[in-house]
Amino acid sequence: MITIEARNVWVTLMDENGPILKFFSRAMSALLLLLLGVLSSTAVLLTGVESVGVCYGGNGNNLPTKQAVVDLYKSKGIGKIRLYYPDEGALQALKGSNIEVILAVPNDQLQSVTNGGGATNWVNKYVKPYAGNVKLKYIAVGNEVHPGDAVAGSVLPALQNIQNAISAANLQGQIKVSTAIDTTLLGNSYPPKDGVFSNSARSYITPIVNFLAKNGAPLLANVYPYFAYVNNQQNIGLDYALFTKQGNNEVGYQNLFDALVDSLYAALEKVGASNVKVVVSESGWPSEGGVGATVQNAGTYYRNLIKHAKGGTPKRPNGPIETYLFAMFDENQKGGAETEKHFGLFRPDKSPKYQLSFN
């Protein structure tokens, strides 16, 4: 971070270690301040943009090669990627790319890492060979597991054992171990200050959150204003979901994304984890296949989210908000509702669906 200080005609340029340059000139000090101000603004802009990554799903039979995908990330200035399984082809392609990575223990592998040996084997196979030249940032142990799911009891021991294996590999300072939840674990989300985990979820999520707090790891959360809007159109306006609402609502919020994130923070506070950070591990808007799913709406959402992630939320104003857009490509083999096939920022031929700027 650069700090500019001017006293009389002295201009001092400082970094975090102290003064690095003093400049004395009545004629030039104003110009220098102007130039440094531009540089400072640019640095802030780049820091904000770097908070945004893109999820890479592979449920399609017409998608580019792993190397072509990573090359596309690099060419578009996308500095973060989320992988949904330990994709060794993608990890090989990511070597030397400087792209930060969320690597997953998928739900169908949770049981296999609930013991120390299984977790060590997993880390030895999918983490240690790549940790030197791939920027592994988080391991997401499970995705959107709910309290009633068959694998729910595996999440906490899997987290603990993967953490132990990461520590044994001397990677604990480099990689944080977490899990990704969705906002259905909230029993109440409005107003955001009253956000709370549901009665059914509390006994499941509380020990997980305690684990995160103990290890200084964030909670990964998949946050979708689209689904909240679709399921409650009588109370949620499209403008509120798309960041286009003018002014704040009666509880001080201009957009639904902030309201959902802050309701998670309120819920974390209520289980004694106010210091746990929320990383938005997915957020997106489909371009077709359902209510409100149009190219225009989706483009508006993604552009506004990229811009908005540079700042913070009313409850946590000191941003940026680390956010991963869902997803890189339309996935023609994705299951579920038709909208699930149409979240891509890019078409399978790598052409952009929207005009988005990541750099």
Side-chain angles (χ1 to χ4, degrees):
M1 178 176 147
I2 293 174
T3 304
I4 305 164
E5 177 187 287
R7 288 196 179 98
N8 299 322
V9 293
W10 282 103
V11 177
T12 305
L13 179 62
M14 299 180 291
D15 66 8
E16 62 273 14
N17 297 314
I20 56 175
L21 173 68
K22 275 197 172 186
F23 191 91
F24 182 81
S25 169
R26 288 182 187 274
M28 294 299 294
S29 60
L31 176 60
L32 182 62
L33 282 170
L34 176 62
L35 291 173
L36 290 176
V38 171
L39 287 171
S40 222
S41 298
T42 303
V44 170
L45 174 64
L46 291 175
T47 299
V49 171
E50 288 171 356
S51 67
V52 174
V54 180
C55 303
Y56 170 37
N59 291 313
N61 59 9
N62 56 356
L63 299 180
T65 65
K66 306 299 171 63
Q67 188 61 60
V69 170
V70 172
D71 289 344
L72 183 59
Y73 272 76
K74 291 192 289 187
S75 71
K76 297 299 180 181
I78 303 169
K80 299 175 187 290
I81 187 172
R82 179 180 178 185
L83 304 178
Y84 286 91
Y85 65 97
D87 185 337
E88 293 190 89
L91 289 169
Q92 288 287 348
L94 284 162
K95 285 184 175 180
S97 69
N98 211 36
I99 295 172
E100 294 181 339
V101 181
I102 299 179
L103 183 64
V105 179
N107 293 352
D108 61 5
Q109 293 181 14
L110 288 174
Q111 181 62 41
S112 69
V113 297
T114 54
N115 63 79
T120 297
N121 291 340
W122 195 94
V123 168
N124 285 344
K125 183 174 182 180
Y126 299 121
V127 178
K128 287 181 70 175
Y130 304 100
N133 44 26
V134 176
K135 293 188 72 172
L136 298 168
K137 187 174 187 181
Y138 306 123
I139 297 179
V141 180
N143 182 54
E144 296 187 352
V145 176
H146 299 129
D149 293 349
V151 295
S154 299
V155 175
L156 183 60
L159 282 166
Q160 293 166 334
N161 283 294
I162 290 292
Q163 179 66 59
N164 291 339
I166 290 293
S167 297
N170 294 316
L171 296 170
Q172 67 271 26
Q174 175 183 337
I175 303 170
K176 296 296 185 182
V177 180
S178 185
T179 190
I181 68 167
D182 62 35
T183 54
T184 66
L185 296 190
L186 293 170
N188 183 65
S189 61
Y190 192 85
K193 68 180 182 64
D194 293 337
V196 64
F197 292 114
S198 67
N199 291 333
S200 61
R202 196 170 299 127
S203 61
Y204 162 74
I205 196 66
T206 299
I208 289 172
V209 167
N210 289 339
F211 166 87
L212 300 178
K214 176 183 176 182
N215 290 284
L219 175 65
L220 307 179
N222 301 339
V223 178
Y224 282 93
Y226 173 75
F227 293 119
Y229 160 72
V230 168
N231 293 325
N232 192 10
Q233 294 174 62
Q234 64 273 25
N235 294 315
I236 297 175
L238 183 61
D239 59 345
Y240 187 57
L242 292 176
F243 300 92
T244 57
K245 176 180 170 58
Q246 299 301 306
N248 293 338
N249 63 11
E250 67 278 2
V251 294
Y253 282 79
Q254 182 269 339
N255 65 81
L256 183 53
F257 177 86
D258 280 353
L260 289 170
V261 171
D262 278 356
S263 66
L264 284 168
Y265 274 121
L268 287 169
E269 290 172 357
K270 291 178 177 66
V271 293
S274 58
N275 292 331
V276 172
K277 177 184 174 183
V278 172
V279 168
V280 178
S281 46
E282 285 183 21
S283 191
W285 196 285
S287 58
E288 61 179 281
V291 174
T294 67
V295 170
Q296 180 178 357
N297 286 344
T300 297
Y301 182 78
Y302 287 118
R303 278 189 293 271
N304 287 333
L305 179 54
I306 291 170
K307 179 180 178 181
H308 186 74
K310 299 172 190 175
T313 68
K315 196 169 184 62
R316 295 289 190 275
N318 297 323
I321 308 164
E322 187 173 353
T323 302
Y324 293 76
L325 308 184
F326 186 85
M328 197 65 172
F329 300 103
D330 284 345
E331 300 174 68
N332 64 358
Q333 294 181 319
K334 190 84 179 288
E338 180 62 23
T339 52
E340 294 292 331
K341 297 179 172 65
H342 303 286
F343 276 89
L345 305 181
F346 296 87
R347 301 178 184 92
D349 65 0
K350 300 186 292 183
S351 64
K353 200 188 298 182
Y354 318 106
Q355 295 303 312
L356 304 176
S357 177
F358 290 92
N359 53 28

